[in-house]
Amino acid sequence: VDDYSGSSRLLAATTLRNILGTRNLGDILSERESIAKEMQELMLEATEAWGVTVERVEVKDVRVPEQLMRAMAAEAEAARNARAKVIAAEGEHKASRALRQAAEVIMENPAALQLRYLQTLNSISAENNSTIIFPVPVDILSSMMGQMQMQPMLPVPPET
């Protein structure tokens, strides 16, 4: 090596690019000291054969090209979206387990369903001053209609 100073600078730039290429933007900004230490170790290995000793490496300022910043921001946003989907899926999973447990309780005691239904109607009526439609199960209506058809109709007396 003829130009130790220039070769060391080129080696430092190459080493810096190689190290920064393996990290995300947050790590680059928060771990400058560890990056500098890693660079010093790599440069010391390479320059030792030249008779050059690297005493200190400092990473003072990191300038990231605009295009790379956009790419890193897109990557970070994708990671946030992925985490949000995982959290939502975990919530759905917990909700489905809770619903399953509730269904098991209701299966053991059918009156629990009716009580829950009445509790829901009560909370709806407390929240909103609105008309509540109270659905009656079709099987109850059909049995009532069947009973009405079975009863003989009383004749209406003629008017005089």
Side-chain angles (χ1 to χ4, degrees):
V1 175
D2 292 330
D3 182 15
Y4 296 111
S5 178
S7 296
S8 296
R9 285 187 192 140
L10 286 173
L11 178 64
T14 303
T15 305
L16 181 62
R17 275 194 297 271
N18 289 341
I19 292 173
L20 295 183
T22 62
R23 300 177 187 241
N24 62 36
L25 184 59
D27 292 343
I28 292 170
L29 298 176
S30 65
E31 299 177 6
R32 284 190 272 170
E33 292 83 20
S34 67
I35 291 171
K37 186 175 180 180
E38 187 177 345
M39 274 188 67
Q40 183 176 5
E41 291 170 359
L42 291 172
M43 288 183 63
L44 189 58
E45 282 179 29
T47 59
E48 194 171 29
W50 304 343
V52 175
T53 303
V54 178
E55 291 181 2
R56 182 178 74 217
V57 174
E58 290 182 18
V59 179
K60 291 185 178 182
D61 187 27
V62 178
R63 293 185 197 143
V64 181
E66 188 72 27
Q67 186 178 7
L68 181 57
M69 284 182 69
R70 281 194 299 269
M72 292 173 129
E75 180 184 347
E77 184 177 355
R80 281 191 302 274
N81 288 340
R83 282 193 299 272
K85 287 179 182 179
V86 167
I87 290 169
E90 288 173 352
E92 290 289 329
H93 183 68
K94 287 180 182 177
S96 68
R97 283 181 182 241
L99 286 172
R100 189 176 120 235
Q101 289 174 346
E104 289 171 358
V105 168
I106 289 172
M107 281 177 45
E108 291 173 10
N109 189 356
L113 180 61
Q114 188 66 26
L115 289 174
R116 179 65 184 129
Y117 182 67
L118 293 172
Q119 183 183 19
T120 303
L121 287 175
N122 186 33
S123 65
I124 290 172
S125 66
E127 290 176 8
N128 303 326
N129 291 332
S130 59
T131 303
I132 297 175
I133 298 172
F134 192 79
V136 178
V138 175
D139 54 341
I140 292 176
L141 284 177
S142 62
S143 67
M144 288 175 55
M145 296 299 275
Q147 288 177 356
M148 288 177 61
Q149 288 175 356
M150 293 173 90
Q151 292 178 352
M153 296 189 84
L154 297 175
V156 178
E159 286 185 26
T160 52

